[in-house]
Amino acid sequence: MKKAKLTLDRAYQIARIDPRLYGSFVEHLGRAVYGGLYEPGHPLADENGLRTDVMELVKKMGVSVVRYPGGNFVSGFNWEDSVGPNRPKRLDLAWFTTETNEFGLHEFCDWCKKTGTEPMYAINLGTRGPEAARDIVEYANHPGGSKFSDMRIANGAKDPLNIKLWCLGNEMDGPWQMGHKNAHEYGRTACEAAKLMKWVDPSIELVACGSSSEGMPTFGDWELTMLDECYEQVDYVSLHRYFGNPTGDTASFLAGTMNIEDFIRTVISICDAVKGKKRSKKQLNLSFDEWNVWYHSSQQDKEVWKRDKWGRALPLLEDIYNFEDALLCGAILITFLRHADRVKIACLAQLVNVIAPIMTRNGGGAWAQPTYWPFMHVAKYARGIALNAIVESPKYDCREFTDVPYIESAATLEDDGSVTVFAVNRDPEEDTVLEIDLHAFGGLRIAEHILLHHDDVNAVNTEENPGNVIPAAGPGGVIDGEKAAVRLPALSWNVIRFEKI
Ligand code: AHR
């Protein structure tokens, strides 16, 4: 059995964790909205057509903030189409489907209220610009007495929708985006849109589009150039990253968080470089507002489009996630906790049916994919302060990386003195005993060891068998004075909760 060591100290604090780290994302894409959030006539739909079985799973998952309505979709979207009694059908050029606009802004805010989530609303800076950006903030947040706020009232919402978090477009660096811009054009547009939006409501916060991945040829230059134009007007820079394992190389796949580490560090450095250059007093933070595994469905999507281009609510991006995907998601969440001082918002992309932890069948059930569980554990237990977890772990080399620690870990300290350790064991063969130095925390006991493990990395959940990959009690360990020793099974996600005696 291998051994690893984790040293924690209440003095080694990274930051208080922003609960918006446990965000997700719903795009008008595939069956995310129609058949996911919203299915009038479903036996479990409420009076507004919202699926209560899905809402229950979302609440249990602990999602804090939900980015909406896109994604690529938003870059051709007219927000006016989604409010009021007359909702036009539109061609969506992002996903080659027809958007009926039956579900729109008010329906989304209603859903957010019912699920206890906060809306994070993306505006269209692709085919539109500062004028539409100004109008939607007036519609959503101005109390009344103006054209758009009165239109909202006439549409049934007397009180402002009070949306506090806004994205200035989506992936504007990508040539696939409607209204794609170069960094200078985007920076100028984002600056002017942001000015108008904040003049309407100074209390809002704004996320500027960073690169759509660190693999983009413009990565780095994009952030530098666009921030040079809009640094003072925005509050966060976005990062997006998806992972895949098409060749079945589990060792490299699970090491993918090494890339995320570099990505985060680079974007922080660029933000701070622009801050220095501008002699600004303001610090920008990061919004990792799209992250996930995404590759299982790519062949199926091609067939769907061949069959039914311009259809409504097509079964697109319906990745069926397996156990190793859940391990990677756990490791990604650990990485965010380790950067809790600068990563303040993160959104698992997406939430229902589309590259999602929650799946549904039209007219049928809703169930959790394996990736649901690490997210739920972190959203529930990673509260309070993120601690600087110093891990000494044996390492391995794989096709894509060298010196990958088998054990990846983060830890949190809650206000009541309880400590929680999150750990992924990437070792495919051996269990590891994790020795945890808890000298700084006084009398603690092991309250619980939660384990997610399956003997088959390809194991999945289905509507018929939703309990194939689910958490169970772990082997736990011993605690002796200031040290605990906990067994982490080979290939496992672990949550070890320590409580005050
Ligand atoms: O989440 C799916 C898509 O991935 C989003 O629409 C886009 O922003 C990204 O490329």
Side-chain angles (χ1 to χ4, degrees):
M1 196 158 343
K2 288 200 176 71
K3 277 207 169 110
K5 198 172 163 199
L6 172 62
T7 305
L8 303 173
D9 195 305
R10 63 170 64 243
Y12 305 161
Q13 303 196 349
I14 298 170
R16 185 161 282 276
I17 299 160
D18 190 323
R20 295 176 303 173
L21 218 46
Y22 316 129
S24 188
F25 172 33
V26 171
E27 177 165 8
H28 278 259
L29 194 188
R31 297 191 308 120
V33 172
Y34 306 111
L37 270 50
Y38 178 77
E39 193 179 342
H42 186 280
L44 296 175
D46 72 5
E47 65 290 358
N48 297 324
L50 303 177
R51 279 187 69 152
T52 56
D53 53 349
V54 172
M55 289 197 283
E56 284 315 309
L57 278 166
V58 170
K59 282 195 257 179
K60 184 170 148 196
M61 191 176 153
V63 177
S64 54
V65 59
V66 181
R67 184 167 174 257
Y68 172 87
N72 297 340
F73 168 80
V74 83
S75 296
F77 174 61
N78 292 343
W79 67 266
E80 301 89 333
D81 293 345
S82 79
V83 299
N86 304 313
R87 311 266 181 108
K89 287 197 181 95
R90 290 284 198 137
L91 294 187
D92 165 27
L93 306 187
W95 302 105
F96 302 103
T97 51
T98 299
E99 173 54 53
T100 59
N101 285 305
E102 293 151 74
F103 183 99
L105 177 58
H106 290 258
E107 292 77 17
F108 176 64
C109 288
D110 177 32
W111 183 89
C112 284
K113 254 193 213 121
K114 288 178 176 160
T115 51
T117 55
E118 182 194 342
M120 175 180 189
Y121 195 81
I123 59 157
N124 175 357
L125 285 190
T127 60
R128 305 189 84 184
E131 184 180 13
R134 176 201 63 190
D135 296 349
I136 173 72
V137 178
E138 181 185 318
Y139 183 93
N141 288 5
H142 194 65
S146 66
K147 174 175 169 180
F148 291 107
S149 57
D150 287 347
M151 194 191 279
R152 181 199 70 238
I153 294 167
N155 287 336
K158 189 171 159 299
D159 295 327
L161 302 172
N162 227 355
I163 300 174
K164 293 294 172 201
L165 192 54
W166 299 75
C167 303
L168 296 168
N170 175 71
E171 294 190 348
M172 297 310 306
D173 62 322
W176 58 86
Q177 207 68 217
M178 287 173 265
H180 161 60
K181 293 177 173 43
N182 68 33
H184 181 73
E185 289 163 346
Y186 172 71
R188 286 294 309 128
T189 308
C191 170
E192 293 306 316
K195 263 165 50 185
L196 272 55
M197 293 166 82
K198 286 193 171 173
W199 282 342
V200 176
D201 182 353
S203 72
I204 62 176
E205 289 192 299
L206 301 176
V207 183
C209 288
S211 296
S212 46
S213 88
E214 84 276 26
M216 293 297 286
T218 48
F219 172 54
D221 264 354
W222 172 273
E223 280 75 3
L224 265 175
T225 308
M226 70 91 182
L227 283 178
D228 209 29
E229 296 298 338
C230 66
Y231 188 92
E232 290 300 341
Q233 283 72 32
V234 305
D235 306 286
Y236 304 91
V237 174
S238 75
L239 295 82
H240 291 181
R241 180 68 156 89
Y242 292 99
F243 293 87
N245 187 15
T247 59
D249 178 358
T250 300
S252 292
F253 176 66
L254 293 181
T257 47
M258 311 268 283
N259 273 338
I260 290 207
E261 279 280 344
D262 290 344
F263 190 16
I264 291 173
R265 282 205 199 99
T266 307
V267 177
I268 292 172
S269 308
I270 295 173
C271 289
D272 293 349
V274 178
K275 176 183 183 205
K277 182 182 160 203
K278 290 185 174 294
R279 279 98 174 136
S280 174
K281 293 205 164 41
K282 176 175 176 177
Q283 174 180 285
L284 293 198
N285 287 318
L286 273 45
S287 171
F288 215 119
D289 47 40
E290 284 189 36
W291 66 270
N292 205 349
V293 174
W294 174 13
Y295 75 103
H296 297 285
S297 61
S298 37
Q299 190 48 39
Q300 183 182 312
D301 289 348
K302 285 184 196 135
E303 282 150 28
V304 172
W305 276 311
K306 226 188 272 164
R307 245 189 353 253
D308 199 8
K309 201 172 168 192
W310 306 122
R312 173 189 176 272
L314 301 175
L316 291 170
L317 278 67
E318 299 208 356
D319 277 45
I320 303 304
Y321 289 117
N322 59 28
F323 170 58
E324 70 174 13
D325 298 329
L327 291 181
L328 182 69
C329 286
I332 294 171
L333 288 160
I334 283 175
T335 308
F336 294 158
L337 289 172
R338 296 175 70 89
H339 289 280
D341 53 337
R342 298 300 290 272
V343 182
K344 297 293 177 185
I345 304 164
C347 303
L348 171 62
Q350 300 192 7
L351 186 57
V352 187
N353 289 330
V354 170
I355 44 172
I358 298 171
M359 293 301 290
T360 70
R361 184 164 58 81
N362 293 349
W367 64 99
Q369 300 227 54
T371 51
Y372 180 93
W373 300 109
F375 186 104
M376 188 198 96
H377 293 148
V378 173
K380 190 164 174 191
Y381 297 118
R383 297 283 166 169
I385 307 286
L387 294 173
N388 191 358
I390 298 165
V391 188
E392 291 163 57
S393 162
K395 295 185 172 158
Y396 69 95
D397 293 343
C398 54
R399 191 167 49 80
E400 287 188 37
F401 302 96
T402 48
D403 283 338
V404 183
Y406 279 114
I407 304 299
E408 198 70 79
S409 184
T412 57
L413 170 65
E414 280 196 56
D415 297 342
D416 65 1
S418 56
V419 172
T420 305
V421 171
F422 303 89
V424 167
N425 184 358
R426 294 183 171 115
D427 194 322
E429 263 136 37
E430 264 185 77
D431 294 3
T432 294
V433 172
L434 182 65
E435 202 180 281
I436 310 170
D437 182 344
L438 296 162
H439 70 273
F441 301 95
L444 291 174
R445 65 177 193 92
I446 300 178
E448 198 178 11
H449 176 187
I450 307 170
L451 172 74
L452 188 71
H453 171 76
H454 201 288
D455 289 339
D456 178 5
V457 286
N458 294 309
V460 300
N461 292 339
T462 59
E463 185 177 8
E464 295 71 36
N465 188 8
N468 188 32
V469 187
I470 52 167
V478 290
I479 184 158
D480 174 14
E482 300 176 337
K483 278 199 169 45
V486 178
R487 188 155 68 85
L488 311 180
L491 287 183
S492 61
W493 160 256
N494 303 268
V495 182
I496 305 130
R497 296 179 47 236
F498 297 94
E499 275 176 3
K500 289 297 253 186
I501 295 171

